[in-house]
Amino acid sequence: MQGHDLIDLGGQVAVVTGAGQNAGRATALELARHNAGGIAINDFVPERAEAVAAEVRALGVPALAVPFDVTDLDAARAANAAITAELGPATVLVNNAGMAGPGASIRPSQNFWEEDPANWQRYLGTNLYGVYNCCFAFIPNMVEAQRGRIVTIVSDSGRVGEARLAVYASSKAGAQGFMRSIAKELGRYQVTANCVSLSALLPDMEEAQRAEIMGGEHMKGLMSRYSIRRCGKSTDVAALVTFLCSGAAEWITGQTYPLNGGYAPSM
């Protein structure tokens, strides 16, 4: 007896930004497994985007690599045109691209007043303006179709605050506020807008390597703040995002879902 898939994309075309690796890649593949009509794979690195697109095609789902910089509105618009021509209009948008642009990592470093202001734009450009740009480019598809899903990946640093990450935290908090507002604008068009808020997430790696990292003294101390004492995995993110993009979540909008193993910030 064949079961009914509650987590069904209903044949919608999805675009996932920052999908060339890790959580973005896992999300693209999971969407493909749940009746997506096509997946557009965005990444800074064209080879990574094409490699994941090939994985999606291997699952029997049409896919297109669309390498572009989310901080560039014209590039986002051009990507929308290319996706529409190849796959059809995208009515699912996963804003996964984050951090501070290519090659950057997020590590607590200096107090805000000691930072170089020249670095602020790197955080704001990707985490906030990148979300604006992609929403601006793809929302008209959803309004016209009278259906759609937007999920933006944010951070617990923006939800609860994090010392020495003030600009990064504020960029992620801004994205959350933006999503709550457009959720109110888009509800009448049957379009939902939600956030998934992450804490410590390790990149994809072999289980033996993950176990070695988790066994370190620094990581053990960090994990003492988590009820489930491990870092997040890409598959954790993919599962929740896919649910929020599916028909099962049609009455959920304007929300931020912490995906963090019960993380409690230190006071």
Side-chain angles (χ1 to χ4, degrees):
M1 180 172 146
Q2 186 175 3
H4 174 63
D5 184 6
L6 291 175
I7 315 302
D8 192 310
L9 272 291
Q12 294 187 83
V13 173
V15 55
V16 186
T17 67
Q21 59 184 349
N22 300 321
R25 169 183 170 271
T27 297
L29 294 173
E30 195 65 18
L31 292 172
R33 295 184 185 104
H34 290 276
N35 195 28
I39 309 285
I41 308 297
N42 163 260
D43 197 85
F44 269 116
V45 181
E47 294 79 10
R48 286 200 310 230
E50 183 51 49
V52 177
E55 290 186 87
V56 171
R57 294 185 201 108
L59 295 173
V61 176
L64 178 68
V66 282
F68 67 91
D69 184 345
V70 298
T71 68
D72 184 338
L73 176 58
D74 289 338
R77 285 169 155 170
N80 183 35
I83 294 164
T84 300
E86 182 75 18
L87 303 175
T91 52
V92 172
L93 169 63
V94 180
N95 290 307
N96 172 73
M99 306 293 275
S105 61
I106 303 299
R107 293 187 181 90
S109 56
Q110 295 174 301
N111 293 313
F112 170 73
W113 59 93
E114 298 169 327
E115 289 184 357
D116 180 355
N119 291 329
W120 298 350
Q121 186 55 42
R122 296 186 67 192
Y123 296 107
L124 294 169
T126 302
N127 298 310
L128 187 56
Y129 281 91
V131 174
Y132 290 168
N133 291 338
C134 290
C135 287
F136 193 85
F138 290 98
I139 281 175
N141 301 344
M142 305 177 197
V143 171
E144 182 174 354
Q146 296 282 296
R147 68 171 184 169
R149 300 282 185 270
I150 306 170
V151 179
T152 296
I153 304 300
V154 295
S155 168
D156 272 2
S157 65
R159 192 176 64 86
V160 301
E162 192 75 46
R164 298 182 181 87
L165 284 175
V167 178
Y168 173 75
S170 64
S171 68
K172 290 295 192 179
Q176 291 177 64
F178 172 67
M179 292 294 284
R180 286 192 292 270
S181 293
I182 63 168
K184 294 182 181 295
E185 295 180 16
L186 290 170
R188 71 189 69 182
Y189 304 107
Q190 309 306 309
V191 177
T192 67
N194 294 291
C195 293
V196 172
S197 181
L198 305 180
S199 283
L201 186 76
L202 286 180
D204 292 342
M205 61 183 66
E206 297 294 331
E207 283 303 318
Q209 186 180 5
R210 176 180 288 271
E212 181 180 354
I213 292 172
M214 294 302 298
E217 290 304 314
H218 171 75
M219 190 60 75
K220 287 180 180 178
L222 177 63
M223 288 297 104
S224 68
R225 296 156 62 182
Y226 290 70
S227 298
I228 300 174
R229 297 195 174 182
R230 67 165 173 85
C231 288
K233 300 178 181 180
S234 294
T235 51
D236 297 323
V237 182
L240 180 53
V241 172
T242 301
F243 167 74
L244 290 172
C245 290
S246 74
E250 67 178 10
W251 210 46
I252 300 172
T253 196
Q255 306 303 309
T256 296
Y257 287 89
L259 184 63
N260 61 13
Y263 165 75
S266 58
M267 303 302 291

